[in-house]
Amino acid sequence: MAVDYTVIVVYLAGMLAMGWWGMRRARSKSDFLVAGRRLGPVMYSGTMAAIVLGGASTIGGVGLGYQYGLSGAWMVFTIGLGLLALSVFFSARIARLKVYTVSEMLDLRYGGRAGVISGVVMWAYTLMLAVTSTIAYATIFDVLFDMNRTLAIVLGGSIVVAYSTLGGMWSITLTDMVQFVVKTIGVLLLLLPIAVVKAGGFGEMKAKLPTGYFDPLGIGGETIFTYVLIYTFGMLIGQDIWQRVFTAGSDRTARWGGTVAGTYCLVYAVAGAVIGTAAKVLYPDLGSPDDAFATIVKDELPIGVRGLVLAAALAAVMSTSSGALIACATVANNDIWSRLRGAAKGRDGEEGHGEDGHDEVRGNRVFILVMGVGVIVTAIALNNVVEALTVAYNLLVGGLLVPILGGLLWKRGTAQGALASVIVGGLAVVGLMAAYGILANEPVYYGLLLSLAAYVTVSLATPPTDAAVLAAWRDRLAGRGAPERASEPVAVHQ
């Protein structure tokens, strides 16, 4: 295992080095939170694919393949579909808004009345996403070093918090590019073909497994529909995803770079399901489907390759964890803390200069550090992460999907309608989870319908949004309002 350990240690040291290098580039709020809004298509595609394909998509995707066969690809496949829809239909308009958070977009569209409530919902979602990603370090480090769960969470979480705090989005972008390459090599180019060969090829796999393992809809229509509601729509409105859209250097980068990343997700989804199916042939009696990834890596891969594939798993977890962490800190600072202080900064999209710019970077750095410590502590204390993440996604989709998409698509929507939608949808989801159970499908189904009904009914019953607010909104959508500082560099087309 010495070679494998060396690969992992070099990888982790490289992540910290990237954080230190990114710190030198983060000189303004825009640099720190959205990488200066100047990523070119290659870096944008790589970082977007890295953040949406985390530990759940890698370890969990292989586990679903182990349990259901090829139809286990649907969870990650719906994530890819959501990213494609976001990129093709919404990303260019989102990038032109020149904001930092989803709640700022709601304020621009409706006139500044939904920020704190929507911010709290989004903060809860990003916090739990960061927590569940951080817990995954325990699984990986247990395979690598037979490490205590708490120590594994502290080690993995501390590295992510360190490089995220140092350089913000620049550090995260650089590390995500490395993680994207490592994942591509480790999972797609190494683990996938080796797993299929070890299982005897597709002919042997079909001979040894029930036919249901090769049914593309075998996981069930209702499950697929729920995945679409939670993950496809979740991709459209999550702060962690929007914050990456804000990094795009141009409309074209946001649209086509995101389309490439979404297509990559579809390929990754199928690969994970095939690896899981191969693992079912090799190890038909595993205690848990989620053990499939670690087992096949540990038992079937040669020395050195095993370390690289485990580094790929670490990369998947770290990319999601760091993206969720900076999103959580951004929402906490910009949408909750600043508003509660009554001194929100950057509402017009302009950057600070001189000492003010450095103060903004320092303030956001402190929030990342504080949120990071909170994430690590919560990850150590929490047991049922599936339920926690389900609560977060149900609140996100049930409470925020309608007012966000309604604001982008329906000009008659009003601030009162948006606020009613957030409150009714959020409370309905919580109540229905209490009644039906946290993992039931009904809360998100009925919560969305009630949120939509409240939005349409209250919007039609209240005066239309002020014409000046809508005019300013249209200007921002067209890229004419509140530009970044004139001295900002042009897009970097890597």
Side-chain angles (χ1 to χ4, degrees):
M1 291 289 288
V3 176
D4 295 326
Y5 292 160
T6 301
V7 171
I8 297 296
V9 170
V10 168
Y11 168 75
L12 294 176
M15 294 301 98
L16 291 174
M18 291 286 185
W20 182 262
W21 190 83
M23 182 177 67
R24 299 165 62 88
R25 303 195 66 167
R27 298 188 180 95
S28 71
K29 180 180 178 181
S30 177
D31 287 336
F32 193 82
L33 295 182
V34 290
R37 306 190 197 274
R38 59 181 189 265
L39 294 190
V42 173
M43 289 192 74
Y44 180 85
S45 298
T47 58
M48 184 63 88
I51 187 177
V52 300
L53 295 174
S57 300
T58 303
I59 299 170
V62 171
L64 287 172
Y66 182 89
Q67 188 172 3
Y68 298 105
L70 297 186
S71 66
W74 273 107
M75 183 187 79
V76 183
F77 204 83
T78 56
I79 290 174
L81 293 177
L83 186 51
L84 285 171
L86 174 71
S87 301
V88 172
F89 299 112
F90 300 110
S91 63
R93 283 186 285 174
I94 292 169
R96 287 197 294 266
L97 290 174
K98 294 291 189 288
V99 295
Y100 293 102
T101 67
V102 174
S103 294
E104 288 184 44
M105 168 264 170
L106 292 173
D107 278 358
L108 278 172
R109 169 59 181 83
Y110 295 111
R113 299 182 184 178
V116 173
I117 294 177
S118 62
V120 169
V121 174
M122 190 63 76
W123 175 80
Y125 157 73
T126 53
L127 177 72
M128 295 317 303
L129 186 61
V131 166
T132 52
S133 299
T134 302
I135 290 174
Y137 298 128
T139 301
I140 298 169
F141 282 117
D142 179 57
V143 174
L144 282 171
F145 308 117
D146 193 24
M147 187 179 290
N148 172 270
R149 177 183 184 274
T150 298
L151 183 59
I153 289 172
V154 171
L155 176 60
S158 296
I159 292 172
V160 169
V161 172
Y163 72 69
S164 300
T165 302
L166 285 172
M169 187 60 83
W170 266 122
S171 292
I172 292 170
T173 297
L174 295 169
T175 54
D176 277 358
M177 278 305 298
V178 175
Q179 290 158 355
F180 171 73
V181 172
V182 171
K183 275 193 289 193
T184 301
I185 295 173
V187 175
L188 296 185
L189 301 184
L190 292 176
L191 181 58
L192 174 61
I194 290 173
V196 172
V197 169
K198 291 284 187 179
F202 285 104
E204 189 72 13
M205 290 162 64
K206 284 186 176 181
K208 290 187 175 180
L209 293 174
T211 56
Y213 267 74
F214 301 91
D215 179 359
L217 303 178
I219 199 170
E222 185 178 357
T223 299
I224 294 171
F225 181 66
T226 303
Y227 284 160
V228 170
L229 277 184
I230 292 178
Y231 296 113
T232 301
F233 287 124
M235 288 295 106
L236 297 180
I237 60 175
Q239 169 67 25
D240 52 326
I241 309 302
W242 276 42
Q243 201 156 342
R244 295 309 173 94
V245 176
F246 300 150
T247 67
S250 67
D251 293 358
R252 183 179 177 84
T253 294
R255 184 179 292 112
W256 293 109
T259 301
V260 170
T263 305
Y264 179 90
C265 291
L266 303 184
V267 175
Y268 200 89
V270 175
V274 171
I275 293 167
T277 305
K280 184 66 176 179
V281 173
L282 295 167
Y283 312 101
D285 300 314
L286 290 179
S288 168
D290 285 341
D291 293 337
F293 180 88
T295 303
I296 197 168
V297 169
K298 195 173 183 180
D299 293 350
E300 302 297 336
L301 298 186
I303 293 172
V305 173
R306 179 170 48 200
L308 185 58
V309 173
L310 287 171
L314 265 179
V317 174
M318 284 184 162
S319 56
T320 300
S321 181
S322 60
L325 176 59
I326 194 171
C328 178
T330 303
V331 170
N333 189 7
N334 285 261
D335 295 336
I336 301 175
W337 175 247
S338 292
R339 294 167 189 266
L340 293 177
R341 283 169 50 211
K345 296 180 180 180
R347 311 282 11 122
D348 60 355
E350 294 182 355
E351 308 302 329
H353 302 278
E355 287 298 317
D356 291 336
H358 290 303
D359 287 345
E360 286 185 325
V361 171
R362 190 181 304 116
N364 282 290
R365 206 170 255 143
V366 168
F367 265 87
I368 290 181
L369 181 59
V370 171
M371 290 297 113
V373 172
V375 164
I376 292 171
V377 171
T378 306
I380 292 170
L382 203 60
N383 288 320
N384 200 325
V385 295
V386 175
E387 290 192 356
L389 191 59
T390 301
V391 170
Y393 264 106
N394 283 351
L395 281 172
L396 175 71
V397 175
L400 291 180
L401 179 68
V402 170
I404 291 172
L405 294 189
L408 290 168
L409 300 173
W410 190 41
K411 68 177 183 180
R412 186 60 181 82
T414 66
Q416 295 90 337
L419 194 59
S421 178
V422 174
I423 294 173
V424 170
L427 291 178
V429 163
V430 172
L432 290 166
M433 283 191 293
Y436 287 96
I438 289 176
L439 299 180
N441 294 327
E442 287 83 358
V444 73
Y445 293 169
Y446 299 143
L448 259 179
L449 290 175
L450 290 170
S451 178
L452 178 61
Y455 181 70
V456 173
T457 302
V458 175
S459 290
L460 292 176
T462 51
T465 303
D466 185 84
V469 172
L470 285 178
W473 167 253
R474 286 192 294 269
D475 283 343
R476 292 291 281 269
L477 280 178
R480 295 190 295 267
E484 301 287 355
R485 65 184 187 275
S487 62
E488 185 169 83
V490 296
V492 178
H493 296 286
Q494 284 91 345

